Amino acid sequence: MHGFAICTAPRSGSNFLSQLLSSTGQLGRPLEYFNGPGRRYFDDPDYPDDRNAQIEKILTMGATPNGIYGLKIFAYQNDWVEDEIEWTARLPNLQFIFLRRRDILGQAISWARALQTGQYRHGQTSTGEAAFDGQAILDRLRAIAIEYARWEMYFARNEIAALPVVYEDVANAPQQAVDSIAGLFNLHHVRADARQVSVILQRDESTEKWRRRFVEEFGNLGRVDKLWS
């Protein structure tokens, strides 16, 4: 078997990329397999919390018939797992994809809003109201910067040449993103099927209003933030 981990941060477009890859039928079925509560909510009411059982899910549920598996993971999720199991050693022929978003402020707004409403995907029932909270956006902005920095340090420390993927590029040229990831496995003529991608952009007019207000109220050109202070 061969496979990949999409290493990223929340609200980076990872659901879109994962569904895009799954739609090919050849590039695994990447999901947050180390997120038991999430899997039970979205996919399988009996999904296990046991890490060994989750590894088995990655290699079965997460694999396409050609033996390629996929998963996605956030840096903070790695903290949940690392003391229990050496997951990278348990996954054969593992490669890494580093997915990030250029518009980090937009990402932070999206994450802050999702935390308020409970809506992480289109179609989920809202459990709360969205209201501008500049401090919450700033907190998410810092959290995203830390997530990305931690992955960069992880790759550097282990001398891993992760494949860089940018969400905005994936959105503009989905098939090109599929081609680059298929290239990791020397696969050719792998086609994405847009009909199988159900992720819908959640950004709306209020997002831009929040963006302008945040910059007005929380912007500070005279300061470089300390992420770990």
Side-chain angles (χ1 to χ4, degrees):
M1 297 189 78
H2 294 74
F4 61 88
I6 299 173
C7 303
T8 190
R11 315 308 292 169
S12 63
S14 58
N15 284 332
F16 177 71
L17 178 61
S18 294
Q19 288 192 9
L20 192 68
L21 298 176
S22 296
S23 78
T24 69
Q26 298 184 65
L27 292 174
R29 301 184 183 95
L31 294 169
E32 292 174 41
Y33 290 106
F34 290 124
N35 181 357
R39 293 279 59 79
R40 287 191 289 274
Y41 180 85
F42 287 111
D43 306 308
D44 180 359
D46 299 317
Y47 193 86
D49 284 321
D50 178 77
R51 300 305 182 193
N52 291 298
Q54 290 173 347
I55 290 287
E56 188 62 25
K57 287 289 188 180
I58 294 169
L59 297 175
T60 53
M61 180 180 174
T64 39
N66 61 351
I68 293 177
Y69 64 85
L71 71 147
K72 69 170 183 172
I73 185 168
F74 306 138
Y76 72 80
Q77 290 175 338
N78 185 59
D79 296 340
W80 303 345
V81 183
E82 63 178 0
D83 291 335
E84 300 178 47
I85 190 171
E86 193 176 351
W87 65 274
T88 55
R90 295 285 302 278
L91 295 174
N93 301 303
L94 177 64
Q95 301 200 57
F96 296 86
I97 297 167
F98 185 26
L99 172 66
R100 59 190 308 159
R101 189 168 161 178
R102 287 195 188 95
D103 181 12
I104 299 179
L105 177 53
Q107 186 175 352
I109 291 170
S110 176
W111 193 0
R113 186 173 179 176
L115 287 171
Q116 289 181 341
T117 64
Q119 289 180 303
Y120 288 86
R121 298 186 187 179
H122 178 78
Q124 274 188 270
T125 302
S126 175
T127 58
E129 293 294 323
F132 177 84
D133 184 336
Q135 185 59 52
I137 295 170
L138 182 62
D139 290 343
R140 293 308 92 198
L141 194 62
R142 182 176 290 110
I144 291 165
I146 290 172
E147 286 277 301
Y148 287 151
R150 289 187 65 190
W151 282 127
E152 289 181 324
M153 183 173 178
Y154 176 81
F155 298 141
R157 183 176 183 177
N158 294 287
E159 206 170 18
I160 293 170
L163 177 70
V165 176
V166 177
Y167 164 69
E168 287 85 352
D169 294 340
V170 178
N172 290 330
Q175 185 57 49
Q176 187 173 327
V178 167
D179 291 343
S180 67
I181 293 169
L184 293 174
F185 307 100
N186 295 314
L187 293 177
H188 306 284
H189 311 297
V190 177
R191 306 300 299 178
D193 183 356
R195 296 170 298 180
Q196 298 185 44
V197 178
S198 61
V199 173
I200 297 175
L201 190 68
Q202 292 183 277
R203 185 169 59 244
D204 57 21
E205 185 179 335
S206 66
T207 302
E208 296 311 309
K209 290 181 179 177
W210 286 19
R211 181 193 299 274
R212 292 192 296 269
R213 182 173 173 183
F214 177 84
V215 173
E216 289 174 359
E217 297 182 14
F218 287 81
N220 187 342
L221 288 173
R223 174 178 178 179
V224 176
D225 289 282
K226 297 179 181 178
L227 295 182
W228 282 276
S229 60

